[in-house]
Amino acid sequence: MNKMAQEAPQSLRGRMFQQDTARPKEQRILVLKTGIAGLDFNIESDEEREALENLTPGTELFLYREPDNKYDEWAISVYRTEDDKLGFITRYKNETIARLMDAGKRFVAVVDDPETDAAAKKIVETEMRRSRRAPTENMALPFSVYLIEER
């Protein structure tokens, strides 16, 4: 009898547990590449400007719905930290995301680097050529918005 090749059979529950832990718990789906609207209005001090300049590609930003915003019923604000507001997703591109947020979907934003992110750079250039870039978008801080899908 070969003792080296023989192992105790694993239970069905044990195999299911191993498969479950191996799978990612969430998936990120890219829904928008844009710039921050209102960025110039929310940066008031040299300290805030320096913090903005120190944002590196890959930094996650917080997105919050502002349904009571008097200027835009679909307003979604963008924060660097939980209490440091940078601006908004432009009103020209926020309605679908806002509706999904209202329905309970989660989103995250991530700072892009158009100099090294060829896809982002191509989108920005294409949007500018087509003049479809919203007039309120400030591409000095490009970012991507991802839908978080739970598995």
Side-chain angles (χ1 to χ4, degrees):
M1 183 175 190
N2 186 353
K3 292 182 182 178
M4 291 177 20
Q6 199 168 3
E7 291 182 20
Q10 193 175 26
S11 70
L12 177 61
R13 183 176 180 176
R15 285 187 303 229
M16 289 174 61
F17 179 74
Q18 282 182 333
Q19 289 173 356
D20 188 49
T21 58
R23 266 186 269 167
K25 298 294 183 200
E26 64 183 35
Q27 176 182 7
R28 291 182 177 200
I29 301 168
L30 177 65
V31 293
L32 178 65
K33 284 188 172 281
T34 188
I36 295 182
L39 184 64
D40 298 329
F41 297 109
N42 290 306
I43 306 300
E44 298 171 354
S45 70
D46 290 337
E47 183 180 288
E48 289 174 330
R49 193 169 311 286
E50 185 177 329
L52 178 65
E53 290 171 2
N54 290 329
L55 281 176
T56 58
T59 301
E60 287 194 7
L61 304 172
F62 298 93
L63 299 176
Y64 297 105
R65 254 307 259 129
E66 289 188 14
D68 297 328
N69 185 298
K70 64 181 180 179
Y71 301 107
D72 181 5
E73 68 180 305
W74 305 112
I76 302 170
S77 53
V78 181
Y79 283 74
R80 184 176 64 86
T81 62
E82 290 184 20
D83 59 348
D84 186 10
K85 186 176 187 175
L86 294 173
F88 296 88
I89 293 178
T90 181
R91 73 176 59 226
Y92 300 98
K93 298 181 178 181
N94 66 0
E95 184 177 349
T96 301
I97 295 170
R99 287 178 182 271
L100 289 168
M101 288 176 93
D102 291 348
K105 296 292 184 181
R106 288 188 326 124
F107 291 84
V108 66
V110 179
V111 174
D112 290 333
D113 182 1
E115 298 305 317
T116 58
D117 183 351
K121 190 172 185 177
K122 185 175 180 180
I123 288 171
V124 170
E125 289 172 356
T126 302
E127 293 292 313
M128 290 176 86
R129 262 186 277 137
R130 292 181 183 168
S131 297
R132 292 180 60 198
R133 189 180 76 146
T136 57
E137 284 179 289
N138 184 334
M139 296 312 287
L141 183 62
F143 67 100
S144 297
V145 177
Y146 295 91
L147 170 65
I148 305 296
E149 278 292 311
E150 303 293 330
R151 290 184 175 203

